[in-house]
């Protein structure tokens, strides 16, 4: 049991929810349909057995495709079409007695597709199978059948929508800092990897600016942690409001923030860091209290990892703090092309 739980937890961490849903529905289709293939073959119902076998094979192949190539969008659409197509086919070939499968087939589409296309496909399938309701088992009214089917679809839609909303909230929480609303460390690592990939493939430069609030411990000790939190929120808002639209802000931890300046060499990034430093120094972050920040700047290099890139920016930050705080330091090698008269200091 423990091993199965660990396996499920590992898969959930490595795969998206959509991939897991497609894989689960594919597995269910195989598990539930294969016994009917055997039973119908033993009964000599070869056409019906062949259709069930085709459904099982296509579902299996679809699940493997989604798992191997991670295209849950395409695989989910194909799986929904498979379920509804098989429903229409067997209802017309073998009578309305098999319309019982309309309940799982139509409910499943809301988990595999977005609500509007799922509802449209379900309506089409129900319309195509409606003539077969005359063959419903004795005692089953047509009105009761459609009422139950409609209720099932409404409940499936509500449940699938709630699940999708929950997944969106969890995804947001996974990449957003709860206090400041900026990206968190996980989001920063993904953004750095993307920037590094663009640099290697297209030569697009990028620079990191690491900021740290000076004497933040004193703020917490003398004004309280609530005041410290307000200062962090105000700093995050100031950074977001004064960077370019295509740049990103992250809270790395504690009182340290990181700005990823896309397309910027060290010189322009250093000037932006200096502008932000001055802006912070003249802007009260908590009540009438002004605070300062120190900053370090490092440009992306071809011969390093994202961790090494961040460590260089962090090292420049701590050099700025060691030199007296309330200043910016740019990696000397990155700043080699900067104008000597540039007000931004180099380590």
């Amino acid at each position: 049991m423990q091993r199965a739980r660990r396996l499920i937890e590992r898969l959930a961490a490595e795969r998206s929810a959509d991939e897991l849903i497609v894989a689960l529905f594919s597995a269910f289709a195989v598990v539930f349909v294969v016994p009917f293939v055997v039973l119908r073959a033993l009964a000599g119902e070869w056409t019906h057995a062949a259709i069930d076998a085709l459904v099982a094979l296509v579902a299996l192949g679809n699940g493997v495709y989604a798992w191997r190539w991670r295209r849950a969008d395409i695989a989910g659409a194909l799986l929904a079409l498979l379920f509804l197509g098989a429903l229409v086919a067997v209802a017309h070939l073998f009578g309305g007695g098999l319309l019982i499968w309309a309940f799982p087939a139509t409910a499943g589409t809301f988990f595999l597709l977005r609500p509007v296309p799922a509802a449209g496909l379900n309506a089409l399938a129900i319309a195509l199978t409606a003539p077969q309701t005359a063959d419903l088992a004795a005692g089953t009214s047509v009105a009761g059948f459609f009422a139950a089917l409609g209720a099932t679809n409404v409940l499936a839609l509500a449940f699938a929508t709630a699940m999708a909303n929950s997944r969106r909230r969890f995804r947001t929480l996974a990449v957003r800092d709860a206090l400041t609303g900026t990206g968190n460390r996980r989001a920063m690592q993904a953004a750095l990897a993307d920037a590094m990939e663009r640099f290697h493939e297209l030569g697009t430069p990028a620079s990191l600016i690491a900021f740290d609030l000076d004497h933040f411990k004193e703020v917490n000790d003398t004004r309280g942690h609530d005041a410290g939190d307000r200062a962090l929120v105000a700093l995050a808002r100031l950074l977001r409001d004064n960077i370019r639209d295509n740049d990103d802000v992250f809270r790395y931890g504690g009182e340290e923030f990181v700005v990823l300046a896309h397309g910027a060499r060290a010189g322009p990034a250093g000037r932006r860091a200096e502008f932000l430093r001055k802006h912070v120094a003249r802007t009260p972050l908590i009540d009438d209290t002004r605070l300062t920040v120190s900053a370090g700047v490092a440009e992306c290099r071809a011969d390093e990892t994202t961790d090494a890139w961040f460590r260089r920016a962090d090292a420049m930050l701590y050099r700025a703090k060691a030199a007296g705080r309330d200043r910016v330091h740019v990696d000397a090698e990155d700043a080699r092309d900067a104008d000597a008269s540039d007000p931004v200091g180099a380590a």
Side-chain angles (χ1 to χ4, degrees):
M1 196 67 180
Q2 282 287 97
R3 183 177 298 178
R5 191 185 70 179
R6 286 196 297 269
L7 176 61
I8 292 172
E9 290 174 349
R10 182 172 63 83
L11 291 176
E14 294 176 353
R15 298 285 174 167
S16 71
D18 290 336
E19 290 169 349
L20 292 174
I21 287 173
V22 170
L24 187 63
F25 272 81
S26 297
F28 279 169
V30 173
V31 169
F32 283 106
V33 172
V34 166
F36 285 98
V37 175
V38 177
L39 290 174
R40 299 191 196 287
L42 292 175
E45 300 173 1
W46 298 108
T47 302
H48 203 162
I51 292 175
D52 288 347
L54 179 63
V55 169
L57 287 173
V58 174
L60 177 61
N62 203 54
V64 171
Y65 168 75
W67 199 260
R68 174 65 179 82
W69 281 277
R70 314 197 74 162
R71 293 304 306 268
D73 52 347
I74 295 176
L78 291 175
L79 204 56
L81 290 172
L82 172 67
F83 290 161
L84 295 178
L87 170 67
V88 173
V90 297
H92 281 275
L93 287 172
F94 308 110
L98 292 172
L99 283 176
I100 189 68
W101 290 103
F103 291 92
T106 57
T109 60
F110 288 110
F111 295 89
L112 298 169
L113 299 173
R114 291 189 299 274
V116 173
L121 280 177
N122 283 351
L124 178 60
I126 292 171
L128 291 174
T129 55
Q132 307 309 115
T133 55
D135 297 334
L136 289 173
T140 304
S141 71
V142 174
F145 170 79
F146 282 117
L149 185 59
T152 300
N153 274 247
V154 170
L155 290 174
L157 171 60
F159 187 61
T161 302
M163 282 184 58
N165 290 337
S166 295
R167 293 201 303 270
R168 279 193 292 270
R169 285 195 294 270
F170 284 135
R171 282 197 296 267
T172 299
L173 290 173
V175 297
R176 288 290 168 189
D177 176 61
L179 175 64
T180 64
T182 62
N184 61 14
R185 187 181 300 193
R186 176 183 296 181
M188 185 191 79
Q189 291 170 339
L192 263 61
D194 289 342
M196 184 74 76
E197 184 177 350
R198 286 194 297 272
F199 175 69
H200 286 298
E201 293 182 355
L202 305 174
T204 304
S207 293
L208 280 180
I209 310 172
F211 290 94
D212 191 271
L213 267 174
D214 297 326
H215 304 295
F216 184 68
K217 185 177 183 300
E218 294 179 11
V219 174
N220 281 331
D221 291 344
T222 60
R223 304 287 294 271
H225 288 279
D226 287 344
D229 287 348
R230 293 201 306 275
L232 294 174
V233 171
L235 175 59
R237 185 184 305 115
L238 185 150
L239 293 177
R240 282 197 304 264
D241 291 346
N242 291 278
I243 60 173
R244 299 173 305 170
D245 290 341
N246 63 323
D247 291 342
D248 298 309
V249 182
F250 309 96
R251 184 185 178 196
Y252 182 75
E255 66 273 25
E256 186 169 349
F257 292 82
V258 175
V259 171
L260 174 56
H262 296 282
R265 300 292 305 273
R271 289 189 288 275
R272 174 52 54 177
E274 179 68 10
F275 167 80
L276 291 168
R277 182 196 66 78
K278 291 179 178 178
H279 196 10
V280 171
R282 62 175 178 263
T283 303
L285 294 184
I286 42 174
D287 304 325
D288 58 348
T289 303
R290 289 179 170 82
L291 301 174
T292 62
V293 293
S294 301
V297 181
E299 184 180 331
C300 179
R301 294 179 185 171
D303 59 346
E304 67 182 354
T305 63
T306 55
D307 287 341
W309 180 20
F310 172 76
R311 285 196 299 271
R312 282 196 301 113
D314 207 41
M316 293 304 102
L317 164 63
Y318 281 95
R319 288 195 185 186
K321 295 181 81 69
R325 296 183 172 86
D326 190 21
R327 65 192 62 207
V328 175
H329 272 271
V330 181
D331 188 285
E333 186 175 343
D334 293 341
R336 61 188 180 278
D337 297 328
D339 188 340
S341 64
D342 194 286
V344 179

